[in-house]
Amino acid sequence: MIENFDFTKDIILENDAVLLRPLETFDFENLLKFSLNEPEIWTYSFVHAAGEDSLKRYIELALEGRNNKTNYPFIVYDKIKKRYAGCTRFHMIDLPNQSLHIGYTWYGKDFQGTGLNKNCKLLLLSFAFEKMGIARVEFRADNKNQKSIAAMKSIGCTVEGVLRKESLSPSGYRRDSVILSILREEWEESVKQELINKINNKNTV
């Protein structure tokens, strides 16, 4: 279970709608179009990937985190549209305390509101709770980013509170961070099935 999680192993998560595979250096080419054409994707992000240099650094930091056993980054491939859609990752992985965060998630505009995010979260949460033995998954968002907060609530997250002026954003203001989470017992009792039902009902909120 959790003691044997191997950061060097290439983890592939997929269903009929989406495929998640480990992010690699060569994925610069797969993500460059977003970096050049949709810089607003990272308006509320701490680590920007808008522009070639920023995207290279984004990938470098993600891979460094995997090497340091604190992050496990994925690139997202939309199997319906047959195109790369964005990125997500496990981060702040704390195996002794059976906890991790899911974050650094972004998708191109064509993939937002399509149900892709719910499919990604179903795969990630299933792996975290059922394969890794994680007990608590945390999510964070800028308190200004109501779209992201609504998406997290829609997959079954519980809002725990707000950390006021928790950290300094790249644009220079101190961010209030909303903390959300899902516990393993919540996942097993209701959240997983409710998420599956939303996916099957084509709920794209």
Side-chain angles (χ1 to χ4, degrees), residues 6-202:
D6 186 355
F7 284 84
T8 67
K9 181 180 179 180
D10 286 343
I11 298 169
I12 307 295
L13 307 177
E14 66 178 314
N15 59 17
D16 291 340
V18 65
L19 181 144
L20 306 178
R21 65 161 176 78
L23 182 70
E24 301 288 355
T25 301
F26 61 77
D27 285 316
F28 175 83
E29 297 298 332
N30 294 320
L31 301 173
L32 183 59
K33 58 183 177 295
F34 302 115
S35 179
L36 295 179
N37 301 322
E38 301 179 26
E40 61 275 18
I41 289 172
W42 297 279
T43 298
Y44 297 104
S45 299
F46 281 118
V47 181
H48 284 201
E52 291 189 33
D53 291 342
S54 293
L55 178 60
K56 288 177 182 177
R57 184 60 178 154
Y58 178 93
I59 294 173
E60 287 172 1
L61 289 172
L63 299 183
E64 285 177 13
R66 182 178 174 187
N67 289 335
N68 294 334
K69 299 183 179 181
T70 58
N71 294 279
Y72 199 101
F74 295 91
I75 190 168
V76 179
Y77 182 78
D78 188 318
K79 295 172 74 171
I80 306 301
K81 295 180 181 291
K82 302 187 187 307
R83 292 156 54 196
Y84 285 100
C87 288
T88 190
R89 74 182 77 165
F90 294 133
H91 68 106
M92 296 183 70
I93 299 171
D94 183 352
L95 298 181
N97 288 305
Q98 300 181 336
S99 69
L100 57 75
H101 293 212
I102 293 177
Y104 295 93
T105 302
W106 59 267
Y107 309 110
K109 291 180 180 178
D110 287 349
F111 306 92
Q112 297 175 14
T114 65
L116 179 78
N117 182 58
K118 283 187 172 63
N119 279 281
C120 287
K121 294 304 190 291
L122 176 63
L123 293 172
L124 292 167
L125 290 164
S126 295
F127 187 83
F129 288 127
E130 299 166 19
K131 301 298 183 182
M132 293 178 68
I134 293 294
R136 179 181 187 275
V137 175
E138 181 173 316
F139 303 77
R140 296 191 181 192
D142 190 319
N143 200 29
K144 294 180 179 180
N145 192 354
Q146 292 302 309
K147 183 176 181 180
S148 179
I149 294 168
M152 293 178 190
K153 289 179 179 178
S154 76
I155 67 169
C157 291
T158 296
V159 176
E160 296 184 342
V162 177
L163 297 180
R164 298 181 299 162
K165 299 189 182 301
E166 180 241 352
S167 49
L168 188 65
S169 74
S171 60
Y173 77 94
R174 294 205 65 87
R175 181 178 109 162
D176 292 343
S177 295
V178 178
I179 309 300
L180 308 94
S181 69
I182 300 174
L183 305 180
R184 182 165 57 207
E185 55 266 31
E186 294 169 342
W187 177 252
E188 294 171 346
E189 292 170 3
S190 62
V191 172
K192 180 179 182 179
Q193 189 57 54
E194 288 171 3
L195 182 54
I196 290 172
N197 291 344
K198 288 180 179 181
I199 290 171
N200 291 338
N201 290 334
K202 308 299 181 183

